[in-house]
């Protein structure tokens, strides 16, 4: 049986989603927990995508195939995983899905939020959870910068190269951002990015670059050049990882992809 997980985690405790030699990847943390529940049987957990070290998630999606000998429904897996996982990781939903479902390849879009604290002093409980930017900022100019980023572009100038060099493949950097919305409340500014997919560090580079413009350190034309001449210079302004959250992964509803979530009891953890 294949199960779909919606996962939340505090990125400060991990070196990103992907498995790491140190053992501090969220992926392998869940894999080792599933294996423990399955009496040592190794199980591969496949995520919808990677998040970098220090990046948080409230809506990461993953799937795994449970060992056939285990007669456990979605509710049982939900309880067992949350009982055994470290407190910095929680399974928010567990669903039984069709064996053809793939958390990565079936995804049609993602929603990221970047949080910025504009207060003069960063509240201690926001440490590692928001980027502290206390300087005067032109929000109207920030809005204009974000509007420039919406649409289909070659985002080469806003991507970092992984060790495997995937971002250098011709056409790989073409992405579509459907919307960027700004919200501000009580000194906390949020940028909500929605798009079909995102390159490595793309949201952090877009955020850092947009803020350069809003802070008056670069003209809007500089950002426009990066968008329309992607083979020229690259942005070097990466917003800190701690302000970024993967809020949701989107899928096309399909009767043959999921049986829907099984009812599970609420669990205080």
């Amino acid at each position: 049986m294949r199960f779909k997980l919606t996962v939340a985690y505090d990125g400060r405790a991990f070196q990103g989603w992907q498995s790491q030699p140190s053992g501090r990847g969220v992926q392998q943390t869940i894999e080792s927990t599933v294996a423990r529940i399955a009496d040592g049987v190794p199980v591969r957990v496949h995520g919808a995508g990677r998040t970098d070290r220090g990046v948080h998630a409230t809506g990461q999606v993953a799937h795994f195939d449970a060992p056939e000998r285990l007669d456990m429904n979605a509710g049982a897996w939900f309880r067992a995983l949350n009982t055994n996982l470290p407190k910095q990781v929680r399974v928010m939903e567990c669903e039984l899905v069709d064996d053809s479902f793939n958390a990565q390849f079936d995804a049609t879009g993602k929603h990221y939020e970047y949080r910025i604290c504009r207060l003069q002093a960063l509240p201690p409980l926001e440490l590692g959870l928001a980027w502290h930017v206390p300087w005067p900022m032109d929000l109207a100019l920030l809005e204009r910068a974000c509007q420039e980023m919406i649409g289909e572009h070659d985002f080469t100038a806003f991507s970092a190269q992984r060790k495997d060099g995937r971002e250098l493949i011709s056409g790989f950097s073409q992405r579509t951002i459907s919307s960027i919305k700004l919200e501000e409340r009580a000194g906390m500014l949020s940028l909500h990015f929605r798009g079909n997919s995102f390159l490595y560090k793309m949201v952090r580079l877009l955020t850092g670059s947009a803020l350069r413009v809003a802070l008056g350190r670069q003209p809007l034309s500089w950002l426009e050049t990066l968008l329309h001449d992607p083979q020229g210079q690259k942005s070097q302004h990466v917003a800190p990882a701690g302000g970024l959250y993967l809020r949701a992964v989107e899928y096309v509803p399909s009767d043959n992809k999921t049986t829907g979530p099984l009812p599970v009891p609420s669990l205080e953890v």
Side-chain angles (χ1 to χ4, degrees):
M1 293 189 293
R2 179 162 294 185
F3 292 95
K4 172 187 173 185
L5 306 176
T6 301
V7 183
Y9 48 86
D10 182 341
R12 293 174 295 182
F14 301 96
Q15 293 181 309
W17 166 264
Q18 191 175 24
S19 297
Q20 302 289 334
S22 66
R24 294 304 294 169
V26 179
Q27 179 185 29
Q28 68 205 105
T29 299
I30 299 175
E31 287 177 345
S32 63
T33 302
V34 173
R36 190 180 313 124
I37 296 168
D39 296 326
V41 177
V43 175
R44 184 68 169 170
V45 173
H46 303 269
R50 307 176 185 181
T51 54
D52 202 14
R53 180 175 184 169
V55 174
H56 315 290
T58 59
Q60 172 70 284
V61 175
H63 77 264
F64 73 94
D65 294 324
E68 294 183 2
R69 62 183 182 80
L70 289 181
D71 185 18
M72 294 174 61
N73 64 19
W77 275 108
F78 178 89
R79 292 187 293 272
L81 286 167
N82 282 323
T83 297
N84 289 277
L85 281 166
K87 293 185 181 296
Q88 295 91 343
V89 185
R90 277 295 171 265
V91 173
M92 307 308 294
E93 293 182 11
C94 181
E95 305 175 40
L96 177 64
V97 293
D98 189 89
D99 287 347
S100 63
F101 173 80
N102 187 290
Q104 178 182 0
F105 299 120
D106 286 352
T108 60
K110 292 179 181 177
H111 169 200
Y112 282 97
E113 177 185 3
Y114 197 94
R115 299 179 68 244
I116 299 163
C117 176
R118 300 186 64 208
L119 301 173
Q120 287 302 301
L122 179 69
L125 295 181
E126 292 289 352
L127 184 63
L129 300 175
W131 183 15
H132 189 211
V133 185
W135 306 288
M137 184 186 307
D138 187 333
L139 291 182
L141 197 52
L142 179 61
E143 178 74 35
R144 289 180 61 190
C146 289
Q147 289 301 311
E148 288 290 332
M149 299 170 180
I150 296 173
E152 184 177 354
H153 300 282
D154 182 338
F155 285 100
T156 298
F158 301 96
S159 65
Q161 183 180 346
R162 292 188 186 274
K163 292 181 180 179
D164 57 20
R166 288 189 304 162
E167 277 73 1
L168 300 181
I169 298 174
S170 176
F172 185 83
S173 299
Q174 200 79 16
R175 294 291 188 274
T176 300
I177 294 181
S178 55
S179 68
I180 304 175
K181 294 184 178 180
L182 278 63
E183 295 179 348
E184 186 173 26
R185 182 182 302 172
M188 297 300 299
L189 176 66
S190 289
L191 278 65
H192 293 270
F193 294 81
R194 286 181 169 85
N196 60 348
S197 66
F198 295 86
L199 301 168
Y200 182 47
K201 294 188 178 180
M202 177 174 155
V203 175
R204 292 167 58 193
L205 280 158
L206 289 174
T207 300
S209 301
L211 257 67
R212 293 286 294 181
V213 174
L215 293 170
R217 298 173 183 175
Q218 293 285 0
L220 185 61
S221 59
W222 167 78
L223 183 66
E224 294 169 341
T225 299
L226 291 175
L227 282 167
H228 300 125
D229 183 20
Q231 304 306 320
Q233 62 175 316
K234 298 188 70 169
S235 175
Q236 304 297 320
H237 306 291
V238 186
L244 183 59
Y245 298 73
L246 174 57
R247 291 302 189 192
V249 182
E250 299 169 354
Y251 298 89
V252 174
S254 176
D255 291 339
N256 65 355
K257 288 294 182 183
T258 177
T259 62
L262 297 181
V264 294
S266 59
L267 192 66
E268 293 187 9
V269 291

